[in-house]
């Protein structure tokens, strides 16, 4: 069997759901389980509704709910034609009535708890999975709706609940295997789950990839397909460098480093249950299904190129803390990090010298306050409009002379901070934001002009 996960943009409209159906049809003989996200933007809208309701703004919440309802009705109508839609409409209506009831309740209490948030957010996948199951059936795909909340069991850490794997694996097998034996195509909403007591939970934003990995690992899938709206992972952002190429195969660790530094395709950390079982994960494009995408595997493929990709993350601020006498003093670094923690600024890159420590954070409005706080213990400067550039590749491990080649390629571009991660598969440095396009072009020319055809398109 295999798992096919369709993200929000791959189910965003009737046209998108039609494309998804045709893709699933090509795999029916391989026993797919289909996992779907909410239609694009719906989870954000549900969150906004919940927040309005939590502030007592009942009418604003209900108004937004009405527009989401209309979008789902229109999509279902387009997919199903009047005959089936008339019957199915009642079912959708019941869901939306339940959502509105919930919003009214939240508004009456004037409080949105994490538990209620999960309940509100769950409607996105509950609705999309219902509509998609009907659409598949109407296209002669033997689909069967499975409520993920009956199979994926978590603790009660609402909004980022943690799966209880033993129970989840057993339930998934019990529920899905009989359907697969009868050649049915189970369709489940991603992202949603429940506690042992049947209270709805969610497993973190973007969690449908995680759902796909959980299901794939439980059922020992041959592979997991993550259907998105890009051709896969690229050597760099094609918007920055027109020579960017598709990466055909990449290791899990490399993909994880890239995700951290700005490649937005998916969060590989969520694929861990599958990777641990050696199940390959494919990132594929539902708008271009012929493209073979990117395969993510646990072991690094052998590759003649040093690096797999270059990622750049903009909107970075460098904070320099200078403390000539105190830097080595006991507890000083801790005091610095505690200040970052108090202001909820997550640190990406750190480098220290004898007298100073430089740290990078995503640019945000807390930085002036953070700096004022730090100024009590040291001299502080901060400078925005910086960018982190990160080169990733398993071959970095144990290849001498790479840093020299990287900095030679950069030429006169000014480098502010350098760090090589403990994972030994990334080389990271910080430059001015304005230098990013030129830096990426130079590095791409230096390291990707000749490509290993087994690894790159
Ligand atoms: N719909 C959820 C979200 O937007 C989960 C997902 O799409 O993966 O976060
Ligand atoms: Mg996603």
């Amino acid at each position: 069997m295999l798992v096919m996960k369709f993200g929000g943009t791959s189910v965003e409209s009737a046209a998108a759901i039609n494309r998804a159906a045709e893709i699933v049809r090509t795999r029916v003989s391989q026993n797919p389980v289909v996992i779907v996200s909410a239609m694009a933007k719906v989870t954000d809208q549900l969150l906004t509704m919940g927040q309005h309701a939590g502030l007592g703004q009942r009418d604003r919440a209900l108004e937004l709910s009405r527009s989401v309802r209309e979008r789902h009705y229109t999509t279902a109508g387009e997919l199903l034609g009047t005959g089936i839609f008339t019957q199915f409409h009642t079912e959708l209506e019941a869901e939306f009535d339940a959502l509105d009831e919930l919003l009214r309740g939240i508004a009456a209490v004037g409080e949105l708890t994490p538990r209620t948030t999960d309940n509100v957010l769950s409607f996105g996948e509950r609705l999309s999975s219902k509509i998609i199951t009907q659409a598949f059936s109407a296209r002669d795909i033997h689909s069967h709706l499975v409520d993920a909340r009956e199979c994926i069991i978590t603790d009660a850490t609402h909004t980022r609940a943690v799966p209880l794997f033993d129970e989840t694996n057993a339930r998934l097998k019990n529920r899905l295997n009989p359907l697969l034996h009868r050649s049915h195509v189970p369709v489940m909403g991603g992202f949603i789950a429940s506690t042992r007591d049947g209270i709805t939970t969610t497993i973190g934003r973007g969690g449908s990839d995680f759902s796909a990995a959980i299901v794939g690992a439980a059922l020992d899938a041959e592979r997991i397909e993550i259907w998105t709206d890009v051709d896969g992972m690229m050597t760099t952002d094609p918007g920055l460098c027109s020579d960017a190429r598709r990466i055909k195969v990449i290791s899990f660790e490399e993909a994880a480093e890239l995700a951290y530094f700005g490649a937005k395709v998916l969060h590989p950390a969520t694929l861990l249950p599958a990777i641990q079982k050696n199940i390959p994960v494919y990132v594929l494009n539902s708008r271009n299904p012929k493209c073979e995408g990117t395969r993510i595997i646990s072991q690094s493929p052998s590759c003649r190129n040093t690096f797999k990709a270059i990622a750049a993350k903009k909107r970075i601020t460098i904070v320099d803390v200078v403390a000539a006498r105190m830097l080595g003093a006991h507890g000083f670094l801790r005091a610095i990090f505690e200040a970052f923690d108090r202001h909820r600024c997550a640190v990406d890159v750190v480098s220290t010298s004898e007298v100073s420590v430089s740290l990078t954070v995503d640019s945000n409005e807390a930085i002036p306050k953070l700096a004022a706080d730090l100024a009590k213990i040291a001299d502080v400067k901060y400078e925005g409009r910086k960018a982190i550039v990160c080169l990733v590749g398993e071959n970095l491990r144990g290849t001498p002379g790479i840093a020299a080649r990287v900095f030679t390629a950069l030429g006169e571009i000014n480098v502010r901070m350098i760090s090589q991660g403990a994972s030994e598969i990334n080389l990271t440095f910080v430059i001015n934001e304005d230098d990013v396009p030129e830096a990426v072009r130079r590095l791409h020319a230096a390291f990707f002009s000749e490509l290993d055809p087994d690894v790159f398109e």
Side-chain angles (χ1 to χ4, degrees):
M1 60 82 58
L2 80 157
V3 174
M4 305 176 75
K5 179 257 169 174
F6 291 90
T9 54
S10 300
V11 296
E12 67 186 352
S13 61
I17 294 170
N18 263 322
R19 280 195 294 272
E22 290 320 306
I23 293 167
V24 170
R25 194 191 303 286
T26 62
R27 311 285 204 267
V28 163
S29 64
Q30 299 168 57
N31 279 133
V33 172
V34 174
I35 313 272
V36 296
S37 285
M39 293 172 73
K41 302 211 169 64
V42 167
T43 309
D44 287 334
Q45 290 164 336
L46 288 164
L47 188 58
T48 307
M49 284 176 219
Q51 285 163 345
H52 282 314
L55 294 168
Q57 298 161 350
R58 193 190 70 158
D59 293 343
R60 288 184 74 176
L62 292 176
E63 196 181 297
L64 188 50
S65 167
R66 203 148 40 236
S67 74
V68 172
R69 186 194 285 247
E70 283 313 315
R71 178 171 167 209
H72 283 81
Y73 285 174
T74 308
T75 308
E78 283 170 20
L79 284 165
L80 300 175
T82 21
I84 314 173
F85 180 59
T86 322
Q87 292 168 25
F88 180 55
H89 183 268
T90 331
E91 223 179 287
L92 285 185
E93 198 165 42
E95 289 280 356
F96 277 107
D97 290 348
L99 172 62
D100 287 353
E101 194 63 27
L102 178 60
L103 292 170
R104 283 193 198 94
I106 297 168
V109 183
E111 186 192 15
L112 180 68
T113 63
R115 173 170 161 169
T116 322
T117 303
D118 276 351
N119 200 342
V120 173
L121 295 190
S122 71
F123 279 89
E125 273 72 10
R126 284 156 66 176
L127 289 157
S128 65
S129 59
K130 278 210 158 112
I131 293 174
I132 290 161
T133 309
Q134 286 288 333
F136 284 8
S137 298
R139 283 155 186 72
D140 293 323
I141 296 168
H142 262 292
S143 56
H144 196 110
L145 181 66
V146 173
D147 191 334
R149 295 172 298 172
E150 288 167 13
C151 307
I152 300 186
I153 304 303
T154 66
D155 68 8
T157 320
H158 285 285
T159 72
R160 43 191 169 78
V162 180
L164 307 173
F165 280 98
D166 289 344
E167 174 123 19
T168 297
N169 292 344
R171 289 204 194 197
L172 282 167
K173 281 186 207 149
N174 281 342
R175 188 77 176 90
L176 297 177
N177 279 336
L179 292 170
L180 292 171
H181 281 138
R182 278 183 275 142
S183 296
H184 285 211
V185 176
V187 176
M188 291 170 67
F191 178 56
I192 59 176
S194 82
T195 63
R196 280 209 177 93
D197 304 329
I199 309 297
T200 297
T201 56
T202 63
I203 56 176
R205 292 303 306 272
S208 295
D209 296 333
F210 192 22
S211 302
I214 294 167
V215 173
L219 271 65
D220 287 307
E222 273 158 55
R223 66 177 188 282
I224 295 172
E225 298 179 347
I226 305 285
W227 289 89
T228 63
D229 58 355
V230 293
D231 277 345
M233 303 183 86
M234 307 287 287
T235 52
T236 194
D237 179 352
L240 284 176
C241 177
S242 55
D243 290 336
R245 299 288 195 82
R246 179 169 54 88
I247 305 168
K248 292 202 261 190
V249 54
I250 191 166
S251 76
F252 171 72
E253 249 192 285
E254 291 169 331
E257 293 282 349
L258 282 174
Y260 188 66
F261 286 106
K264 282 174 222 70
V265 184
L266 80 175
H267 281 286
T270 62
L271 304 179
L272 203 59
I275 300 295
Q276 280 167 340
K277 283 197 135 185
N278 247 324
I279 300 169
V281 177
Y282 290 77
V283 179
L284 296 159
N285 187 353
S286 62
R287 290 175 177 276
N288 183 19
K290 291 226 165 65
C291 177
E292 60 182 68
T294 298
R295 180 164 51 107
I296 303 172
I297 54 178
S298 42
Q299 295 298 314
S300 177
S302 87
C303 177
R304 293 209 296 271
N305 292 76
T306 309
F307 296 114
K308 295 289 193 320
I310 309 168
K313 188 174 172 187
K314 294 193 186 179
R315 289 184 46 78
I316 296 293
T317 295
I318 294 187
V319 181
D320 291 314
V321 184
V322 183
R325 281 183 306 280
M326 279 168 72
L327 192 70
H330 174 75
F332 184 66
L333 284 174
R334 189 182 63 197
I336 293 176
F337 279 103
E338 278 173 355
F340 279 81
D341 193 43
R342 268 198 303 283
H343 293 276
R344 298 178 169 279
C345 292
V347 174
D348 275 329
V349 183
V350 184
S351 72
T352 60
S353 76
E354 222 34 67
V355 294
S356 71
V357 48
S358 301
L359 310 96
T360 70
V361 290
D362 290 357
S363 301
N364 66 64
E365 60 280 10
I367 291 169
K369 284 193 210 117
L370 163 75
D373 207 359
L374 284 168
K376 292 175 197 154
I377 53 172
D379 292 335
V380 183
K381 280 184 305 185
Y382 62 94
E383 207 183 329
R385 298 187 51 80
K386 300 283 175 252
I388 297 175
V389 177
C390 175
L391 291 136
V392 173
E394 303 253 13
N395 283 352
L396 190 56
R397 251 193 273 262
T399 314
I402 297 297
R405 282 178 60 201
V406 168
F407 295 113
T408 304
L410 287 174
E412 76 289 357
I413 293 173
N414 187 35
V415 175
R416 276 292 313 269
M417 288 169 68
I418 301 170
S419 118
Q420 189 172 349
S423 63
E424 292 182 60
I425 65 163
N426 78 69
L427 185 71
T428 300
F429 54 89
V430 181
I431 59 177
N432 286 329
E433 209 171 72
D434 294 340
D435 288 333
V436 167
E438 185 59 26
V440 169
R441 267 195 298 276
R442 289 186 188 183
L443 291 167
H444 205 275
F447 291 96
F448 295 91
S449 49
E450 274 171 53
L451 294 173
D452 186 331
D454 290 338
V455 177
F456 303 97
E457 184 183 23

